[in-house]
């Protein structure tokens, strides 16, 4: 085929693309879009947006764009036209209007690896039903009963530490949260061969979740898909065993798998994806938050001392009463601990931004956001904004003490570490409980220091590149 013939052959396609481009531009011209630029074709500005940066900052990309365009700007991210929001009012507006003006819209690669029935990617009635199941299982009464198991799993990890030893605090935190989730969801005991085998597959799975979604032999994503298949087969085997027990009238385990089988009409595929997504959510976010608390506290001796004093008082009261183990009243008395947890979540920002898209044309503060555009409410940008939080880069748990003050009420309006609206994280209270119990036993029994320089980075998932190596010394509380 000659060049002239080839050009003639391609002409209709070129004209069609040009027409689509012109019509799109005309349509967008009708809108008063936020300022910003769309970047390169297809890629847009995605590479710059995802460039790693310190987790206690918003990164050069966000800083540059906010300085140039303001807290609301447009871009092309993840292959789609996008409005990025560092505006607390717009973020809250987005989350509160879930299902009416906006809906969850994560990249297809996330659904591919977590499953189409994962709570993270579901929208509408199905997400609501899945969330209700999770909330019912994590009710206030069940959390009270779960406290003892959280304490058991905490002690199992901390008691394995030896005096003057050095290890990865991040790995230890992940060990704790995985063991707790395995026990909580499927009644699996830590250290047992099947639990360790599942943990190994899960580690491979997690490496793929946070990797580039390239489904080629040898890639982390491909290995993760293979591990996902292995994990789902394992969960399905547990389901069949549980169903046989139920049919035989045998005593049922008090875990999420049994609860779902007994109280829901979900299909096998839906249950598998639900269990996997809850393991992912319960393990990953809580472990990172605990590692962040360890990191921040070692650099803030004043906060650490006040924590010790609070937990020594609780320990002293336990000895006087003769009661072993923590109870719900002890947990509710951890007032300064809750301040440390809030400040850890604010400064560390385990979840930095959310994926949404418009399902209708939206107008906000004079700007138009066309239907079908992605919107990214950046929670971290609000948490680290000096106009909302004084000296935002400073770890200051005391800012949360006077919860009835006008300033604290304002901070609470801007504080959204677990999202908000109808998709508010179902496991938020469990996550805070895990952190509080772990901190209680940690500060009473150990001193620690960094064994090597390390800090949390956003990739955009938060991670310590060196695993947060610490050296611990055993201390008997008085």
């Amino acid at each position: 085929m000659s060049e002239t013939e080839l050009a003639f052959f391609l002409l209709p396609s070129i004209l069609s693309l040009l027409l689509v481009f012109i019509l799109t531009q005309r349509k967008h011209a009708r809108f008063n879009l936020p300022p910003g630029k769309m970047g390169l074709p297809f890629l847009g500005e995605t590479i710059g947006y995802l460039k790693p940066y310190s987790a206690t900052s918003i990164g050069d990309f966000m800083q540059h764009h906010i300085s140039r365009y303001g807290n609301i700007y447009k871009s092309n991210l993840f292959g789609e036209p996008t409005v990025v929001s560092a505006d607390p009012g717009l973020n809250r507006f987005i989350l509160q209007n879930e299902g009416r003006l906006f809906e969850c819209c994560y990249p297809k690669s996330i659904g591919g690896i977590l499953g189409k029935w994962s709570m993270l990617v579901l929208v509408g009635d199905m997400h609501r039903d899945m969330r209700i199941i999770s909330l019912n299982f994590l009710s206030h009464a069940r959390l009270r009963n779960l406290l003892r198991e959280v304490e058991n799993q905490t002690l199992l990890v901390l008691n394995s530490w030896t005096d003057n030893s050095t290890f990865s605090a991040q790995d230890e935190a992940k060990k704790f949260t995985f063991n707790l989730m395995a026990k909580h969801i499927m009644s699996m005991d830590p250290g047992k061969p099947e639990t360790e085998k599942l943990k190994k597959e899960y580690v491979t799975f997690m490496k793929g979740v946070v990797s580039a979604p390239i489904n080629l032999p040898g890639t982390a994503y491909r290995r993760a898909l293979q591990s996902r298949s292995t994990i789902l087969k394992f969960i399905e085997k547990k389901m069949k065993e549980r169903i046989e027990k139920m049919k035989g009238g045998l005593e049922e385990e008090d875990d999420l798998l049994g609860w779902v089988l007994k109280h829901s009409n979900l299909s096998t595929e839906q249950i598998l994806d639900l269990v996997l997504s809850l393991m992912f959510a319960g393990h990953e976010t809580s472990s990172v938050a605990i590692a962040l608390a360890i990191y921040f506290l070692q650099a803030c001796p004043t906060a650490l001392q006040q924590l010790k004093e609070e937990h020594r008082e609780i320990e002293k009261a336990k000895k006087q009463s003769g009661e072993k183990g923590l109870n719900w009243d002890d947990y509710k008395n951890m007032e300064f601990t809750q301040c440390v947890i809030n400040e850890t979540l604010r400064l560390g920002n385990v979840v930095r931004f959310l994926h949404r898209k418009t399902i209708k044309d939206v107008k906000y503060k004079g700007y138009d956001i066309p239907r079908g555009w992605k919107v990214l409410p950046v929670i971290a940008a609000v948490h680290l904004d000096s106009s909302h939080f004084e000296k935002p880069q400073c770890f200051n748990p005391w800012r949360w003490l006077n919860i009835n003050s006008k300033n604290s009420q304002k901070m609470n309006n801007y504080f959204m570490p677990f999202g908000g609206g109808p998709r508010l994280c179902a496991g938020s209270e469990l996550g805070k409980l895990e952190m509080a119990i772990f901190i209680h036993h940690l500060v009473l029994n150990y001193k620690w220091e960094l064994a090597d320089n390390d800090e949390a980075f956003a990739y955009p998932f938060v991670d310590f590149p060196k695993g947060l190596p610490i050296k611990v010394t055993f201390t008997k509380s008085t």
Side-chain angles (χ1 to χ4, degrees):
M1 181 181 293
S2 68
E3 291 183 3
T4 304
E5 290 174 323
L6 179 61
F8 183 77
F9 179 76
L10 293 175
L11 186 60
S13 297
I14 295 171
L15 290 174
S16 297
L17 288 172
L18 185 61
L19 180 61
V20 169
F21 177 78
I22 292 171
L23 290 174
T24 302
Q25 290 300 105
R26 283 184 177 178
K27 181 182 178 183
H28 289 171
R30 294 190 290 107
F31 293 109
N32 180 31
L33 296 170
K37 62 179 182 179
M38 306 307 282
L40 299 169
F42 305 111
L43 281 176
E45 299 185 294
T46 307
I47 294 175
Y49 185 78
L50 296 179
K51 185 178 179 180
Y53 56 91
S54 170
T56 56
S57 75
I58 60 174
D60 291 341
F61 180 94
M62 281 291 295
Q63 189 67 60
H64 170 76
H65 281 63
I66 290 173
S67 298
R68 185 172 181 182
Y69 304 118
N71 285 340
I72 303 173
Y73 62 88
K74 72 174 182 286
S75 183
N76 185 330
L77 300 174
F78 308 102
E80 299 181 64
T82 303
V83 168
V84 181
S85 170
D87 181 270
L90 179 54
N91 289 355
R92 186 170 293 278
F93 180 75
I94 292 168
L95 298 180
Q96 294 296 334
N97 282 281
E98 177 81 26
R100 292 188 290 271
L101 301 175
F102 306 91
E103 69 178 16
C104 185
C105 182
Y106 280 85
K108 290 182 180 179
S109 60
I110 298 295
I113 200 163
L114 288 180
K116 68 179 182 180
W117 298 108
S118 166
M119 282 181 62
L120 189 64
V121 299
L122 282 174
V123 297
D125 292 343
M126 197 64 233
H127 174 268
R128 183 201 63 206
D129 294 345
M130 289 279 202
R131 189 169 184 274
I132 288 173
I133 290 170
S134 302
L135 287 172
N136 285 338
F137 185 71
L138 293 171
S139 66
H140 181 74
R142 292 191 66 87
L143 282 178
R144 292 172 71 104
N145 294 331
L146 188 60
L147 187 151
R148 188 55 56 87
E149 188 58 47
V150 173
E151 186 171 30
N152 289 341
Q153 298 302 331
T154 297
L155 293 172
L156 188 66
V157 170
L158 295 185
N159 289 343
S160 69
W161 297 359
T162 54
D163 196 24
N164 292 316
S165 60
T166 301
F167 48 80
S168 163
Q170 182 171 260
D171 287 350
E172 294 299 294
K174 289 187 175 184
K175 184 190 302 181
F176 160 64
T177 55
F178 179 85
N179 287 345
L180 181 63
M181 285 298 102
K183 184 72 174 178
H184 181 48
I185 292 174
M186 291 185 288
S187 296
M188 297 177 64
D189 294 319
K192 294 291 181 68
E194 65 171 5
T195 309
E196 294 305 307
K197 184 178 179 182
L198 180 64
K199 184 188 296 183
K200 184 178 178 181
E201 293 291 345
Y202 185 81
V203 169
T204 303
F205 169 75
M206 274 309 308
K207 288 179 181 177
V209 171
V210 299
S211 69
I214 302 172
N215 189 9
L216 294 174
T219 62
Y221 191 78
R222 170 67 68 86
R223 288 193 293 269
L225 290 174
Q226 293 168 344
S227 287
R228 166 186 159 81
S229 178
T230 302
I231 293 169
L232 293 184
K233 287 176 183 177
F234 180 90
I235 299 171
E236 188 170 12
K237 178 172 172 285
K238 284 285 182 183
M239 282 177 57
K240 290 177 180 177
E241 292 173 356
R242 197 65 59 84
I243 291 169
E244 289 302 313
K245 277 188 176 182
M246 291 167 65
K247 287 180 179 178
L250 299 176
E251 185 177 348
E252 301 170 28
E253 288 90 343
D254 186 24
D255 57 20
L256 183 135
L257 182 58
W259 198 94
V260 170
L261 288 171
K262 190 174 182 180
H263 297 282
S264 79
N265 295 315
L266 297 180
S267 67
T268 297
E269 184 183 7
Q270 289 169 335
I271 293 174
L272 292 176
D273 280 357
L274 174 65
V275 169
L276 182 60
S277 64
L278 290 178
M279 282 183 66
F280 166 73
H283 166 265
E284 202 60 24
T285 54
S286 295
S287 63
V288 173
I290 290 170
L292 284 166
I294 292 172
Y295 174 74
F296 292 141
L297 287 169
Q298 59 83 31
C300 189
T302 310
L304 184 56
Q305 182 58 36
Q306 187 163 336
L307 265 182
K308 287 181 179 179
E309 291 170 4
E310 177 170 90
H311 290 285
R312 281 171 180 162
E313 286 299 312
I314 294 172
E315 184 185 47
K316 183 179 177 182
K318 302 302 292 183
K319 287 179 178 178
Q320 290 176 348
S321 68
E323 182 185 4
K324 292 185 178 180
L326 295 169
N327 59 40
W328 194 254
D329 289 336
D330 299 325
Y331 170 59
K332 300 308 289 185
N333 285 331
M334 297 178 186
E335 181 182 357
F336 187 66
T337 305
Q338 292 300 325
C339 295
V340 168
I341 291 171
N342 281 353
E343 188 66 354
T344 297
L345 296 173
R346 182 199 67 81
L347 183 55
N349 291 289
V350 178
V351 178
R352 306 192 73 79
F353 62 92
L354 305 170
H355 289 261
R356 298 291 185 268
K357 76 173 181 180
T358 54
I359 53 180
K360 295 180 181 178
D361 291 341
V362 173
K363 186 178 286 291
Y364 184 84
K365 287 188 176 179
Y367 290 133
D368 295 307
I369 309 176
R371 180 172 62 89
W373 274 47
K374 286 204 73 163
V375 287
L376 298 183
V378 184
I379 309 301
V382 177
H383 289 171
L384 299 172
D385 188 335
S386 59
S387 58
H388 310 312
F389 296 92
E390 185 180 356
K391 296 181 180 178
Q393 265 69 42
C394 176
F395 180 74
N396 177 17
W398 297 274
R399 75 173 83 233
W400 300 97
L401 268 180
N402 190 2
I403 59 174
N404 295 318
S405 71
K406 188 175 181 179
N407 187 50
S408 288
Q409 289 173 357
K410 178 183 174 184
M411 287 195 306
N412 284 326
N413 287 334
Y414 297 144
F415 184 55
M416 295 189 290
F418 299 104
R423 297 185 76 93
L424 178 70
C425 177
S428 58
E429 292 304 317
L430 174 59
K432 289 188 283 188
L433 177 67
E434 291 173 48
M435 290 184 73
I437 303 305
F438 196 94
I439 287 172
H440 171 80
H441 289 286
L442 175 67
V443 301
L444 285 179
N445 294 291
Y446 289 95
K447 292 192 301 183
W448 69 94
E449 61 184 20
L450 289 186
D452 195 0
N453 290 331
D454 200 8
E455 67 170 308
F457 271 78
Y459 291 92
F461 62 93
V462 177
D463 190 53
F464 286 89
K466 297 179 183 178
L468 189 59
I470 60 171
K471 181 179 181 181
V472 298
T473 305
F474 183 73
T475 58
K476 288 189 176 180
S477 56
T478 56

